[in-house]
Amino acid sequence: EDVNNGGYDAPSNVNEVEVINTYELEEKAKEVVPKGGFDYMSGASGDEFTLQQNTKVWDKKGILPRVLADVEFPETSTSIFGQELKVPFVMSPIAAHGLAHQTKEAGTARGIAEFGGSIMSISAYSGASFSEIEEGLKDNKRWFQIYMSKDDEMNKNIIDEAKADGASAIILTADATLGGNRDRDDRNKFVYPFGMPIVSRYLKGDAKNMSLNNIYAQSKQKISTDDVHFLKEYSGLPVFVKGIQTPEDAMSALGAGADGIWVSNHGGRQLDGAPGSFEALESISKAVQGRAPIVFDSGIRRGEHMFKALASGADIVGIGRPVLYGLALGGWKGVQSVFEYFEKDLKRVMQLAGTQTIEDIKKARLFDIK
Ligand code: PYR
């Protein structure tokens, strides 16, 4: 039992993880992560319809194998906001990595840093402080995801700290003004076993032994385009609006000055009944028309999924749960294994689809599956 972790017995081993596919990682993580934490990470809202749709809707589009394409050693490099990336995927923001592993976000950060050329999104609901995360992240690129306080002075204070930490973009998660209806957490009476140092300044309590619903209720619930203006003006950094699932909301975010659109349904954890995230992507991309980069997440489990998202208008994709499962199974080395798996899998798909570069994927034509 780890006394620093509120008696919550997260795994602590550090080892490479064999990734046959990321679905199996979930099954294996279930065996080593305490039930409350595993259900929180893997679970979603309501009937978990949207969670399931996120991985099912990939079957609505197919990839055309192209031959005689003169392709060898596909190149996955790309860039966003002037930053060079080795791969077109980044870590999506997720709260409380300490549920998966005792090293918390520092473990995830180190795995990403050792992989190199990607970006760590640091959640405002991180269980580790910025300086603890830095021990793993070591100057690697990072974005900061904010759950806002109702008090803008607190928000300024948090933004100041994120900027001092080196955040190169702010992600406003706009789809989580309260918690989705999560049966698994209710059944387990789930509370976080450790605190959240970044937002503890605006919570009554420090998040330890608090439910997500309690924490969301103390965060800002009334989010509007004014908040996009505020974050952009105060931070001077590019701002993403995350949780976009309709062209209308993409337009409203851009109108408010958003620099990036983050298409996501929060891994199916918020509004159940929402479409599988990939279903929402194409119409959003058509509305955005290249005026701002699009990050896509919710449902990426294979290289084929990355390919389909990039071919449907995403510039970058975010990976989430598979990384946490890698963290649970092998600490930072497990995280690195998951990043390496996705890189290798994407390259294989690129080769078979006859695409040499990420730009080639963006031009690739998918076909409809009825
Ligand atoms: C979630 O549990 O989905 C959060 O974003 C905290």
Side-chain angles (χ1 to χ4, degrees):
E1 180 167 294
D2 178 6
V3 286
N4 296 320
N5 223 7
Y8 176 91
D9 214 3
S12 60
N13 47 304
V14 175
N15 48 263
E16 287 173 14
V17 171
E18 185 188 23
V19 186
I20 303 295
N21 64 58
T22 62
Y23 304 105
E24 289 177 17
L25 292 183
E26 177 166 352
E27 291 164 30
K28 289 186 177 145
K30 186 175 183 178
E31 289 165 19
V32 298
V33 175
K35 181 171 166 53
F38 178 80
D39 280 353
Y40 170 77
M41 284 159 40
S42 61
S45 56
D47 292 323
E48 302 191 342
F49 165 82
T50 300
L51 172 73
Q52 289 162 22
Q53 284 297 108
N54 280 344
T55 44
K56 275 190 193 153
V57 292
W58 299 114
D59 295 343
K60 296 195 179 225
K61 293 273 186 188
I63 304 171
L64 296 162
R66 298 300 302 271
V67 300
L68 305 177
D70 203 23
V71 169
E72 189 180 29
F73 307 122
E75 297 144 44
T76 56
S77 59
T78 187
S79 68
I80 184 163
F81 299 141
Q83 291 188 309
E84 301 297 322
L85 299 184
K86 179 172 90 180
V87 289
F89 55 89
V90 300
M91 181 67 199
S92 281
I94 294 187
H97 297 203
L99 297 171
H101 198 264
Q102 287 183 22
T103 56
K104 299 183 177 173
E105 283 76 3
T108 313
R110 177 155 181 207
I112 294 171
E114 300 275 349
F115 175 76
S118 182
I119 297 177
M120 166 83 173
S121 299
I122 297 177
S123 168
Y125 290 175
S126 170
S129 66
F130 283 115
S131 61
E132 285 165 342
I133 298 171
E134 185 58 24
E135 283 170 31
L137 202 50
K138 303 228 188 313
D139 291 334
N140 191 81
K141 297 188 236 320
R142 82 281 317 263
W143 289 338
F144 176 66
Q145 175 265 346
I146 192 161
Y147 278 128
M148 296 177 77
S149 167
K150 298 179 202 297
D151 175 351
D152 271 342
E153 289 310 308
M154 293 285 182
N155 292 324
K156 288 180 181 173
N157 203 251
I158 293 173
I159 296 292
D160 289 346
E161 198 183 359
K163 279 188 80 171
D165 181 63
S168 55
I170 304 291
I171 305 161
L172 172 63
T173 297
D175 64 2
T177 55
L178 52 66
N181 177 28
R182 308 198 189 160
D183 287 7
R184 300 200 217 189
D185 296 347
D186 289 347
R187 191 175 302 117
N188 295 330
K189 303 201 174 358
F190 177 77
V191 291
Y192 295 99
F194 44 77
M196 295 180 178
I198 299 171
V199 292
S200 61
R201 74 193 82 203
Y202 72 68
L203 299 177
K204 289 191 194 75
D206 71 353
K208 183 172 173 168
N209 295 325
M210 288 167 66
S211 69
L212 177 61
N213 286 336
N214 182 1
I215 296 167
Y216 272 146
Q218 294 187 45
S219 303
K220 189 169 192 174
Q221 295 191 285
K222 205 163 178 288
I223 304 261
S224 74
T225 51
D226 290 347
D227 298 295
V228 181
H229 280 296
F230 168 82
L231 290 173
K232 200 172 147 65
E233 201 149 297
Y234 187 74
S235 72
L237 294 173
V239 172
F240 283 105
V241 178
K242 176 169 173 284
I244 301 285
Q245 290 282 282
T246 62
E248 294 85 346
D249 285 353
M251 289 304 97
S252 124
L254 289 184
D259 302 277
I261 298 297
W262 197 305
V263 174
S264 170
N265 59 30
H266 210 119
R269 298 163 72 81
Q270 290 300 102
L271 181 63
D272 196 36
S277 191
F278 176 59
E279 269 192 295
L281 175 60
E282 197 175 0
S283 62
I284 293 169
S285 150
K286 281 188 176 142
V288 171
Q289 286 185 329
R291 279 172 289 181
I294 295 177
V295 179
F296 171 88
D297 80 21
S298 300
I300 299 277
R301 298 293 180 272
R302 288 190 183 273
E304 286 85 350
H305 304 161
M306 292 185 168
F307 189 102
K308 289 179 188 180
L310 295 167
S312 302
D315 295 287
I316 301 280
V317 301
I319 51 178
R321 288 189 183 92
V323 181
L324 277 197
Y325 301 141
L327 181 68
L329 294 168
W332 70 264
K333 286 191 178 175
V335 168
Q336 187 177 357
S337 298
V338 171
F339 271 72
E340 284 170 353
Y341 164 82
F342 275 116
E343 181 185 26
K344 187 173 161 205
D345 204 32
L346 177 61
K347 283 186 172 166
R348 174 169 40 214
V349 177
M350 289 174 76
Q351 179 75 41
L352 295 173
T355 47
Q356 182 71 41
T357 66
I358 300 302
E359 284 310 308
D360 291 344
I361 301 180
K362 290 184 182 177
K363 285 182 241 148
R365 183 163 44 89
L366 302 180
F367 67 97
D368 293 328
I369 299 171
K370 295 288 179 313

